[in-house]
Amino acid sequence: MGQRGRQKGSVGVKSKEAILTIAAEEFAEHGFHETKISTIVKKAGLTQPSFYLYFSSKEAIFQELIHTFHHKLIHLTKNSRIEPNLDKNILASKIARGLISIFKFFDDHRHLTKIGFFIADEAEEIKRGMVAHITENLLAEQQDKYFRQDLNMQIVAECIIGAIERLTITKLFTNESTPQQLANEIVDIYLYGLQNTES
Amino acid sequence: MGQRGRQKGSVGVKSKEAILTIAAEEFAEHGFHETKISTIVKKAGLTQPSFYLYFSSKEAIFQELIHTFHHKLIHLTKNSRIEPNLDKNILASKIARGLISIFKFFDDHRHLTKIGFFIADEAEEIKRGMVAHITENLLAEQQDKYFRQDLNMQIVAECIIGAIERLTITKLFTNESTPQQLANEIVDIYLYGLQNTES
Amino acid sequence: MGQRGRQKGSVGVKSKEAILTIAAEEFAEHGFHETKISTIVKKAGLTQPSFYLYFSSKEAIFQELIHTFHHKLIHLTKNSRIEPNLDKNILASKIARGLISIFKFFDDHRHLTKIGFFIADEAEEIKRGMVAHITENLLAEQQDKYFRQDLNMQIVAECIIGAIERLTITKLFTNESTPQQLANEIVDIYLYGLQNTES
Amino acid sequence: MGQRGRQKGSVGVKSKEAILTIAAEEFAEHGFHETKISTIVKKAGLTQPSFYLYFSSKEAIFQELIHTFHHKLIHLTKNSRIEPNLDKNILASKIARGLISIFKFFDDHRHLTKIGFFIADEAEEIKRGMVAHITENLLAEQQDKYFRQDLNMQIVAECIIGAIERLTITKLFTNESTPQQLANEIVDIYLYGLQNTES
DNA sequence: CATGAATGAGAGTTCATTCAT
DNA sequence: CATGAATGAACTCTCATTCAT
């Protein structure tokens, strides 16, 4: 089991991963321009040229991180299609489950999330993708009469993404709320509205 | 009336304003680091040393723009306190009016908004201020029983700011929607929720 | 005569010219790669960023020098067309005059010549141009029966350029021969050949 | 015959030769500085440290190629002394034979020739050697009255080398002319001159 | 005989900022 | 009020070369 001297995690791979991890940290905390290659390699215990052994440029590693984030996010999204024929209670919990998985994902990948969802120029595009996906789901459910017929679901999707965005920064990354709590609150707010229906 | 030799619109004031306007444009479009002083002064028909006649540093002019945005925003907020004792219909239109004034303000100051609400590190703090203000209002209305008692109004406020943020970028700044439309849709969504109550 | 404070040779112009002169020297002596911007500016009494005040890159200044050389060379060539209807003696001295002007030009611009005629990749193309020009002249004279009818004048032109090239390096730049001497020797060799016709 | 374990064509020798061949190609095409060790070893299917198994430095392999060229060239020259007492026709063909062998040699070793005759700093010295050798031959023949007495044979030799140089690049390496053709044209031009002697 | 991994040393370039006028 | 000219301080990136295996 495992060849001698060639086990996964060989030195080079480790160095590359170290650089990636540290770069994610630095980019997340300081943004693209304020992050220096010199800092990254120093923290990784390497010298500058080593960086270029693994990445062709500062842009390249940044893009790689964005790509990783986007890729994982898409993967997540694919496995979360809502199946039809649910009653209303199940719908709520179903939506909540989707939101939980997103918040959990963000929570598990805080650095990547900061980079790909907040810092990168591509963040806008990534969000557009999520909005499209959510819109699609909402429309299906709207057609099945679970939702009001007079709502513009794209606008709704934008609102939800905006809510996710804000809560991720202010509640999730500050450890003030858990993914579950956030998901439930969003469902509660968006499904039933603010209005006091008990006279 | 008017001081000798220093009437408003004198060369210096004009130059400073030209720089501010162009800087706002550039920062809004390219962000802080990608904006070069050399570009700003070139567009203003000046040379680099002139820049330092009016601003002590690149940081300083950026801060001045942020400050201007923040200041105007606070001024806006002050004039929009919700007075008590409204019936529900009036409440909706009252909230809408608040949102309209925000969207209008953003629309009228696109460059400043991009800078102060999306680009600056201080954006987070500015949003926090808005959230606090909204939360306050929502709590008052919640106590007056206009809103459901079981909602965490701070979370609601965050969601609303998130929605404003997203819609500003994707609908307002793209000229796809007007402040009125956006305000109404937000009110509609947040007040009544998605849930189909008919049938 | 001459405006105060704006006479030609203002500081900036002087700096640029200093850099150009020194750069020509350095490139001529050490070639493109071995020439360092740091050395050039040091010799000009400036710091590195100043270089970029006047030239956009190391490549750019090198190209500018090549261009200057090429431009001057073309100018020289234009003013040296051989007019028709000469008797043979006059032809010889006419050709000599052309060669003298070339050697003189090379002698007066040793650094530029080394760069544009020997170091630059573009040297080949520049020589091609000269060969074309010489070929043209030779062909005209061949048609006028001054030269043997059975010679391939392009080959002749290549030989002449080759001779000029070699003699420039080994006799002119070493101060062993003057332009006049070299021109006469070339005319003598190429016009009458090596063969001993006496006896 | 053949040492144990060290027969010619062993792995090491093959690798060294592969490197030499590829290096010659690269240096010839791109010059010294633009040729990267990394490129050479990649093309040879080796890694960088292997290079240093066979050559002590980039300079060293370049020198080795120059040396090889120079060595072969000297060897060629040694076997081409012109024996005395020829009549004029035989002289012409004798000279042609010498030139043919040079052009053939250059043609057979295009990469080495580009390096040793055109790229290397040492090219100048190598040419000086050839000029000396040719001068010597020309002087002997001049003393034997085959050539005009009033010619400076060193200058003639420089012209011939210049012609060889140019024609090698523009006619031989472009496959536009064969060694025979070039040799004959040179002999024709230099021996009899351009001048039209008929009528 | 060969390589994976790493580095010392340095090059070109950029930009906010300032001095002298 | 404005500018021509210059610079300090960095930064990204490259490449020949070497160590340990």
Side-chain angles (χ1 to χ4, degrees):
Chain A
M1 185 184 297
Q3 309 121 285
R4 282 211 309 128
R6 285 272 177 203
Q7 69 277 23
K8 197 192 154 178
S10 70
V11 181
V13 173
K14 263 189 200 159
S15 290
K16 177 165 187 177
E17 272 164 13
I19 292 174
L20 271 172
T21 306
I22 293 164
E25 256 175 67
E26 293 290 313
F27 283 132
E29 185 157 1
H30 305 108
F32 183 78
H33 283 97
E34 299 288 290
T35 293
K36 314 296 178 203
I37 304 264
S38 57
T39 308
I40 295 172
V41 293
K42 212 170 290 162
K43 291 200 177 179
L46 294 168
T47 57
Q48 292 226 37
S50 294
F51 176 89
Y52 295 92
L53 230 50
Y54 303 108
F55 306 97
S56 61
S57 69
K58 186 182 173 184
E59 259 303 329
I61 192 176
F62 192 67
Q63 288 301 328
E64 183 159 331
L65 291 167
I66 292 171
H67 180 80
T68 301
F69 172 75
H70 198 178
H71 185 79
K72 285 175 192 274
L73 185 62
I74 284 170
H75 179 78
L76 181 83
T77 314
K78 275 209 189 107
N79 302 7
S80 73
R81 306 217 119 249
I82 294 182
E83 56 267 29
N85 300 325
L86 327 142
D87 77 25
K88 286 190 181 179
N89 290 335
I90 296 186
L91 176 63
S93 76
K94 191 82 227 234
I95 296 174
R97 280 224 296 284
L99 290 169
I100 287 171
S101 70
I102 290 174
F103 280 121
K104 259 195 181 144
F105 172 74
F106 285 2
D107 205 26
D108 289 345
H109 303 89
R110 291 191 175 193
H111 296 324
L112 285 183
T113 300
K114 273 224 93 183
I115 293 169
F117 214 61
F118 295 97
I119 291 176
D121 286 345
E122 291 86 342
E124 214 47 53
E125 197 196 319
I126 291 175
K127 286 173 192 166
R128 217 180 305 140
M130 287 185 76
V131 166
H133 177 249
I134 292 174
T135 302
E136 223 175 287
N137 284 341
L138 291 174
L139 281 173
E141 288 145 25
Q142 189 180 36
Q143 274 182 326
D144 290 349
K145 307 282 157 70
Y146 292 112
F147 295 146
R148 288 163 51 200
Q149 300 298 302
D150 61 333
L151 286 172
N152 177 336
M153 285 320 200
Q154 222 213 84
I155 300 270
V156 174
E158 292 284 2
C159 291
I160 291 173
I161 286 293
I164 290 173
E165 195 181 311
R166 281 290 63 223
L167 295 172
T168 296
I169 290 289
T170 62
K171 299 291 168 186
L172 186 66
F173 286 178
T174 58
N175 302 316
E176 289 179 35
S177 302
T178 65
Q180 285 77 7
Q181 290 170 338
L182 295 173
N184 289 335
E185 305 215 59
I186 288 183
V187 167
D188 192 18
I189 292 167
Y190 282 86
L191 217 47
Y192 311 116
L194 302 179
Q195 186 188 225
N196 193 348
T197 50
E198 312 183 352
S199 121
Chain B
M1 186 180 304
Q3 310 116 289
R4 282 205 311 124
R6 284 276 177 197
Q7 69 275 27
K8 192 187 162 181
S10 71
V11 180
V13 173
K14 264 190 199 158
S15 289
K16 176 163 187 179
E17 271 165 15
I19 292 174
L20 272 171
T21 308
I22 292 162
E25 257 175 67
E26 293 291 313
F27 284 132
E29 186 157 1
H30 305 108
F32 182 77
H33 282 97
E34 299 289 296
T35 294
K36 318 290 177 216
I37 303 276
S38 58
T39 307
I40 294 172
V41 293
K42 211 171 291 160
K43 289 201 178 181
L46 293 168
T47 56
Q48 302 214 36
S50 294
F51 176 90
Y52 293 91
L53 234 48
Y54 303 108
F55 306 97
S56 62
S57 69
K58 187 182 175 185
E59 259 306 326
I61 191 176
F62 192 68
Q63 288 302 328
E64 183 160 333
L65 290 167
I66 292 170
H67 181 80
T68 302
F69 172 76
H70 199 176
H71 186 79
K72 284 176 192 274
L73 185 61
I74 284 170
H75 178 81
L76 181 84
T77 315
K78 276 207 188 107
N79 303 9
S80 72
R81 305 219 121 249
I82 294 183
E83 54 269 31
N85 298 328
L86 323 145
D87 78 24
K88 286 191 182 180
N89 290 337
I90 296 185
L91 174 63
S93 77
K94 191 82 227 234
I95 296 173
R97 279 225 295 287
L99 289 170
I100 287 172
S101 71
I102 290 174
F103 281 122
K104 259 196 182 143
F105 172 73
F106 284 2
D107 205 24
D108 289 345
H109 303 88
R110 291 190 176 195
H111 297 325
L112 285 182
T113 301
K114 273 224 93 184
I115 293 168
F117 214 60
F118 294 96
I119 291 176
D121 287 346
E122 292 85 343
E124 213 47 53
E125 196 196 319
I126 292 175
K127 286 173 192 167
R128 218 179 305 140
M130 287 184 76
V131 166
H133 176 249
I134 292 174
T135 303
E136 222 175 289
N137 284 341
L138 290 175
L139 282 172
E141 288 145 24
Q142 190 180 34
Q143 274 183 328
D144 290 349
K145 307 282 158 72
Y146 292 112
F147 295 146
R148 288 164 52 200
Q149 301 298 302
D150 60 334
L151 285 172
N152 177 336
M153 285 321 200
Q154 221 212 75
I155 299 270
V156 174
E158 292 284 3
C159 289
I160 290 173
I161 286 294
I164 291 173
E165 195 181 313
R166 281 288 65 223
L167 294 173
T168 296
I169 290 289
T170 62
K171 299 291 168 186
L172 187 67
F173 285 178
T174 58
N175 302 316
E176 287 178 38
S177 301
T178 64
Q180 286 77 9
Q181 291 169 338
L182 294 174
N184 289 335
E185 304 214 60
I186 288 182
V187 168
D188 191 19
I189 293 166
Y190 281 86
L191 219 45
Y192 311 115
L194 301 180
Q195 186 187 224
N196 193 349
T197 51
E198 304 183 1
S199 116
Chain C
M1 186 183 296
Q3 308 120 286
R4 281 208 311 126
R6 284 276 178 199
Q7 69 276 25
K8 195 192 155 178
S10 68
V11 182
V13 174
K14 264 190 201 158
S15 290
K16 177 166 186 177
E17 273 164 13
I19 292 174
L20 270 172
T21 306
I22 294 163
E25 257 173 67
E26 294 290 313
F27 282 134
E29 186 157 1
H30 305 107
F32 182 78
H33 282 96
E34 299 288 291
T35 294
K36 314 295 176 203
I37 305 261
S38 57
T39 307
I40 294 172
V41 293
K42 211 170 291 162
K43 291 199 178 181
L46 294 169
T47 57
Q48 293 225 40
S50 294
F51 177 88
Y52 295 91
L53 230 48
Y54 304 107
F55 306 96
S56 61
S57 69
K58 187 182 173 185
E59 259 304 328
I61 192 176
F62 191 68
Q63 288 300 328
E64 183 160 331
L65 291 168
I66 292 172
H67 180 80
T68 301
F69 172 75
H70 199 177
H71 186 78
K72 283 176 192 273
L73 185 62
I74 283 170
H75 179 78
L76 181 82
T77 314
K78 275 208 188 105
N79 301 7
S80 72
R81 304 219 121 249
I82 294 182
E83 54 267 32
N85 299 326
L86 325 145
D87 76 25
K88 287 191 180 179
N89 290 335
I90 298 186
L91 175 63
S93 76
K94 193 82 228 238
I95 296 174
R97 281 223 295 286
L99 290 169
I100 287 172
S101 71
I102 290 174
F103 281 120
K104 260 196 181 143
F105 172 74
F106 284 3
D107 204 25
D108 289 346
H109 303 88
R110 292 190 175 195
H111 296 325
L112 285 183
T113 301
K114 274 225 93 184
I115 293 169
F117 215 61
F118 295 97
I119 291 176
D121 285 346
E122 291 86 342
E124 213 48 51
E125 197 195 319
I126 291 175
K127 286 173 193 169
R128 218 181 302 140
M130 288 184 77
V131 165
H133 177 251
I134 292 175
T135 303
E136 225 175 285
N137 284 340
L138 291 174
L139 281 173
E141 289 146 23
Q142 189 180 37
Q143 274 182 326
D144 292 347
K145 307 283 157 69
Y146 292 112
F147 296 146
R148 288 163 53 199
Q149 300 299 302
D150 60 332
L151 287 171
N152 178 335
M153 286 320 202
Q154 222 212 82
I155 300 270
V156 174
E158 293 284 3
C159 290
I160 291 173
I161 286 293
I164 290 173
E165 197 180 311
R166 281 290 65 224
L167 294 173
T168 297
I169 290 289
T170 61
K171 299 291 167 184
L172 186 68
F173 286 179
T174 57
N175 301 316
E176 288 178 34
S177 303
T178 64
Q180 286 78 8
Q181 290 169 340
L182 295 174
N184 289 334
E185 305 215 59
I186 288 183
V187 168
D188 193 20
I189 293 167
Y190 280 86
L191 218 47
Y192 311 115
L194 302 179
Q195 187 189 224
N196 192 349
T197 51
E198 303 183 4
S199 112
Chain D
M1 185 182 297
Q3 308 118 288
R4 280 207 310 126
R6 280 278 177 197
Q7 69 276 27
K8 195 188 159 180
S10 72
V11 180
V13 173
K14 265 191 200 157
S15 288
K16 177 165 186 178
E17 271 164 14
I19 292 175
L20 272 171
T21 306
I22 292 163
E25 256 175 67
E26 294 291 313
F27 283 132
E29 186 157 2
H30 304 109
F32 182 77
H33 282 97
E34 299 289 297
T35 294
K36 318 289 178 218
I37 302 276
S38 57
T39 307
I40 294 172
V41 293
K42 212 172 288 160
K43 290 201 178 182
L46 294 168
T47 57
Q48 304 214 34
S50 294
F51 176 89
Y52 293 90
L53 234 47
Y54 304 109
F55 306 96
S56 63
S57 70
K58 188 183 175 184
E59 260 304 328
I61 191 176
F62 192 67
Q63 288 302 329
E64 183 160 333
L65 290 168
I66 292 171
H67 181 79
T68 302
F69 173 74
H70 200 177
H71 187 78
K72 284 176 193 272
L73 185 63
I74 284 170
H75 178 78
L76 181 82
T77 314
K78 276 207 187 110
N79 302 8
S80 72
R81 304 218 124 249
I82 294 182
E83 53 268 31
N85 299 326
L86 323 144
D87 77 24
K88 287 189 181 180
N89 290 336
I90 296 184
L91 175 63
S93 76
K94 191 82 228 234
I95 297 172
R97 280 223 296 285
L99 290 169
I100 287 172
S101 70
I102 291 174
F103 281 122
K104 258 196 182 144
F105 172 72
F106 284 2
D107 204 24
D108 288 346
H109 303 87
R110 292 190 175 194
H111 295 327
L112 285 182
T113 301
K114 274 224 94 183
I115 293 169
F117 214 61
F118 295 97
I119 290 175
D121 286 345
E122 291 87 342
E124 214 47 54
E125 198 196 318
I126 291 176
K127 285 173 193 167
R128 217 179 304 140
M130 287 184 78
V131 166
H133 177 250
I134 292 175
T135 302
E136 223 176 287
N137 284 341
L138 291 174
L139 281 173
E141 287 145 24
Q142 190 180 36
Q143 275 181 326
D144 291 348
K145 308 282 158 70
Y146 292 112
F147 295 147
R148 287 162 54 199
Q149 299 299 303
D150 60 333
L151 286 171
N152 178 336
M153 285 320 201
Q154 220 213 59
I155 299 270
V156 174
E158 292 285 3
C159 289
I160 291 173
I161 285 294
I164 290 173
E165 196 180 310
R166 281 287 67 222
L167 294 173
T168 296
I169 290 289
T170 62
K171 299 292 167 184
L172 186 68
F173 285 179
T174 59
N175 302 316
E176 288 178 36
S177 302
T178 63
Q180 286 77 9
Q181 290 170 339
L182 295 174
N184 290 335
E185 304 214 59
I186 288 184
V187 168
D188 192 20
I189 293 167
Y190 281 86
L191 219 46
Y192 310 115
L194 301 179
Q195 186 187 224
N196 193 347
T197 50
E198 306 185 358
S199 119

